[in-house]
Amino acid sequence: MTTQTDIPPAETGGARRSWLREHSELGVCALLLALGVLVLTDALTMDVDIAQRGPVGPKTVPIVVGAGLLVIAALLALDVLRGGRGQAEGGEDIDLSEPADWRTVLLLAGVFLGAAVLIEPLGFPVAGALLFWGAAYALGSRRIDRDPLIAAGLSLVTYTVFNNLLGVPLPGGPLMGVL
C-alpha cells in the first residue's frame, strides 16, 4: 500500500488534477456560493426608508433568493462530494459535431451592448425596440415589414408596465413627454 509520502511530487499534481476534473461541478457550487453571498450582502446593506416599504418590503425577495442560492450551493457540493454526477445531455435537438454559431452570439452581444449604451440618451422605448428588433434579426428573422412594428409594440408595452403599473422608473428619453 502506498501512502501520500510514497508518491513522487509529479504524481501528486496529476492526482490533484484528476480529482478536480472528476469533481468539476464544484466550480458551479463556488459560483452559486459567490452569487448568493453577493445577493445577500447587497440586500442586507440596502438603504430602505421605513415609510416607503409595504408589508413585504424590497429586501424580502433578494434575501430569499440569496439564501436559496446558498442552500442550493451547499446541497450540490454535498451531492458532488458523495459521488453524484450530472447527467449527460440526451434529449437536446442539437448536433454536437457542428461548430458553434459565433456570428449569432456576437450579433446578440452587440445588440445587447448597443441597447445598454443607447438606453440613456434615447430612452427605453427606442432602445428596447432596437434591442427586440436586433435580437429577432440575429436569431434569423428577416421580416422587415413586421419585426420593427412588433419590436416597437413590445417595447412600449414593457415600458408602460414597468414605468406606470409597477412603479419602476425607466428612462423615457425624447418620448418622455409623449408617454
Side-chain angles (χ1 to χ4, degrees):
M1 180 172 151
T2 60
T3 62
Q4 185 71 18
T5 56
D6 296 337
I7 300 174
E11 290 182 27
T12 305
R16 179 174 293 140
R17 272 185 249 127
S18 175
W19 186 88
L20 287 174
R21 184 166 287 151
E22 290 174 9
H23 297 90
S24 61
E25 291 94 345
L26 290 175
V28 175
C29 299
L31 179 67
L32 290 173
L33 177 72
L35 192 58
V37 167
L38 177 69
V39 169
L40 278 176
T41 303
D42 194 35
L44 293 174
T45 58
M46 188 184 300
D47 186 27
V48 178
D49 185 15
I50 193 86
Q52 292 180 347
R53 66 183 181 139
V56 175
K59 288 185 176 185
T60 305
V61 172
I63 288 174
V64 169
V65 169
L69 285 169
L70 294 179
V71 168
I72 289 172
L75 291 175
L76 181 59
L78 186 63
D79 181 54
V80 169
L81 293 175
R82 287 184 174 173
R85 302 276 308 165
Q87 196 165 5
E89 299 279 336
E92 291 291 326
D93 189 23
I94 59 171
D95 186 5
L96 295 176
S97 64
E98 291 293 319
D101 185 8
W102 288 108
R103 179 183 179 274
T104 301
V105 171
L106 292 174
L107 276 173
L108 284 172
V111 165
F112 182 76
L113 290 173
V117 168
L118 294 174
I119 195 167
E120 196 60 41
L122 297 181
F124 182 83
V126 175
L130 292 173
L131 171 69
F132 295 139
W133 187 15
Y137 181 85
L139 293 172
S141 179
R142 299 296 186 261
R143 297 286 308 263
I144 303 296
D145 58 335
R146 170 188 74 177
D147 291 346
L149 297 174
I150 293 173
L154 186 58
S155 181
L156 286 173
V157 167
T158 304
Y159 176 79
T160 303
V161 167
F162 275 87
N163 198 57
N164 299 343
L165 298 178
L166 296 176
V168 177
L170 295 174
L175 299 176
M176 187 60 117
V178 178
L179 301 175

